C-alpha cells in the first residue's frame, strides 16, 4: 500500500477545543464508546491518567454522565474526532499507552482502518519509548491486516493473541464473546529510539 504522508498542519482544532492539562503517566483511548473500559481503567488505576475520546454524540453523552457520577479525577472524556484532537492536544512522546478497542471495521474503506492511516505515524510519535498500544477486534481479517501493516509499514513487532473468553472490557467485547465469537488483540510496543517524521512536531 502506498501511503501518503500525514499533514498535521492542515487540521483545524475541533470545535470548542481546549488544551488539556498534562498529567502523567498519560494514556489515550480512541473510540471509547459508552466508556465501559475507560471508567474501569480509571477506577482500577488511580495513579494513571486516561484521556478517552468518542466521536458519536449519544455514546459520548452516556459516557460523560457516568464519568461525572463517579467524579474520577484521572479520567478526561472528550467528545471529538480523535485525529485533529490528538494533533492539537498532545506533545511528542507524551503517551504511556494507547487503547483502540473494537474500532469500526470499515469494510468499504480500508484506508480508514487505524494502521492503514497516515495518522498512525503521528500517533506513534505521541507515544513514549516502550509505550504499548493495544488494539482489539472480532474481525480476523482486520487483525491479520493490522499485524502485517505493523510489520511492513511501521517496522514494528506486533504480538497477536486471542482475547480471553471471560474478558468484559467493553460493550462490544461483551456482545461478541456472548455470541461465541473469537476476539483478537494486537499489542505493539514502541521500541527505544524509534523515529517518526513528527518527533519534533507540535502545534505552535
Ligand atoms: C465499534 S465502536 C466500539 C466502542 C467501544 N470501544 C466498545 O468496544 O464498546 C467504535 C467507536 O469508535 C468511535 N470512533 C470511530 N472513529 C473515531 C474517531 N476518529 N474519533 C473518535 N471516535 C471514533 C465510533 O464513534 C464508535 O463509537
Amino acid at each position: 500500500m502506498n501511503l501518503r504522508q500525514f499533514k498535521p498542519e492542515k487540521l483545524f482544532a475541533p470545535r470548542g477545543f481546549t488544551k488539556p492539562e498534562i498529567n502523567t503517566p498519560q494514556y489515550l483511548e480512541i473510540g471509547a464508546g459508552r466508556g465501559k473500559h475507560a471508567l474501569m481503567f480509571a477506577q482500577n488505576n488511580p495513579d494513571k491518567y486516561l484521556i478517552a475520546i468518542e466521536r458519536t454524540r449519544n455514546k459520548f453523552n452516556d459516557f460523560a454522565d457516568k464519568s461525572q457520577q463517579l467524579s474520577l479525577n484521572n479520567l478526561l472524556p472528550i467528545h471529538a474526532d480523535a485525529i485533529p484532537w490528538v494533533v492539537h492536544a498532545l506533545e511528542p512522546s507524551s503517551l504511556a499507552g494507547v487503547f483502540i478497542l473494537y474500532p469500526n471495521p470499515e469494510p468499504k474503506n480500508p484506508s480508514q482502518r487505524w494502521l492503514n492511516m497516515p495518522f498512525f505515524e503521528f500517533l506513534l510519535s505521541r507515544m513514549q519509548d516502550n509505550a504499548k498500544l493495544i488494539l482489539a477486534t472480532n474481525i480476523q481479517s482486520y487483525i491479520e491486516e493490522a499485524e502485517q501493516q505493523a510489520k511492513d509499514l511501521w517496522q514494528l513487532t506486533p504480538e497477536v493473541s486471542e482475547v480471553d473468553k471471560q474478558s468484559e472490557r467493553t460493550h462490544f467485547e461483551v456482545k461478541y464473546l456472548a455470541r461465541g465469537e473469537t476476539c483478537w488483540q494486537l499489542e505493539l510496543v514502541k521500541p527505544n529510539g524509534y523515529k517518526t517524521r513528527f518527533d519534533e512536531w507540535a502545534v505552535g
Side-chain angles (χ1 to χ4, degrees):
M1 187 179 301
N2 211 347
L3 208 63
R4 60 196 194 288
Q5 195 180 328
F6 185 61
K7 299 235 164 36
E9 67 281 4
K10 301 251 189 241
L11 294 180
F12 292 110
R15 193 178 306 166
F17 174 80
T18 47
K19 209 165 168 137
E21 252 179 65
I22 301 297
N23 291 284
T24 56
Q26 178 163 261
Y27 290 74
L28 174 72
E29 181 169 351
I30 296 180
R34 297 182 192 280
K36 184 172 169 60
H37 172 266
L39 294 160
M40 213 157 47
F41 180 91
Q43 282 175 298
N44 293 341
N45 298 281
D47 54 333
K48 295 177 179 159
Y49 188 83
L50 178 66
I51 297 166
I53 310 181
E54 174 51 50
R55 178 173 73 177
T56 304
R57 165 63 74 187
N58 62 348
K59 291 188 189 183
F60 174 77
N61 285 348
D62 203 17
F63 171 29
D65 285 351
K66 287 184 203 136
S67 167
Q68 213 167 20
Q69 281 161 23
L70 293 171
S71 20
L72 297 161
N73 59 10
N74 61 334
L75 176 62
L76 181 62
I78 297 286
H79 179 228
D81 180 330
I83 296 177
W85 194 89
V86 164
V87 162
H88 283 268
L90 301 181
E91 303 295 319
S93 301
S94 56
L95 295 172
V98 178
F99 301 97
I100 307 178
L101 303 176
Y102 303 92
N104 294 337
E106 306 290 355
K108 299 217 171 75
N109 296 307
S111 63
Q112 298 298 305
R113 297 178 200 141
W114 291 102
L115 276 89
N116 295 348
M117 283 197 236
F119 167 73
F120 197 74
E121 180 178 358
F122 192 88
L123 182 60
L124 287 167
S125 78
R126 305 299 103 169
M127 291 166 64
Q128 299 163 355
D129 285 357
N130 299 314
K132 189 189 275 188
L133 179 145
I134 295 181
L135 179 140
T137 177
N138 64 324
I139 299 178
Q140 189 168 2
S141 57
Y142 193 117
I143 211 77
E144 287 171 355
E145 179 186 72
E147 183 179 20
Q148 206 57 45
Q149 291 291 78
K151 290 181 190 162
D152 296 349
L153 194 53
W154 307 116
Q155 315 295 320
L156 294 163
T157 310
E159 277 185 26
V160 170
S161 56
E162 267 189 33
V163 172
D164 190 289
K165 301 282 181 224
Q166 309 306 320
S167 184
E168 299 186 329
R169 286 174 298 184
T170 77
H171 288 104
F172 277 74
E173 184 164 85
V174 169
K175 178 171 81 174
Y176 297 137
L177 291 175
R179 295 204 300 229
E181 293 182 25
T182 301
C183 295
W184 287 271
Q185 176 155 312
L186 176 139
E187 295 186 24
L188 282 178
V189 173
K190 180 177 172 179
N192 254 327
Y194 185 89
K195 296 270 176 258
T196 81
R197 286 169 286 193
F198 304 108
D199 295 341
E200 312 300 327
W201 197 95
V203 169

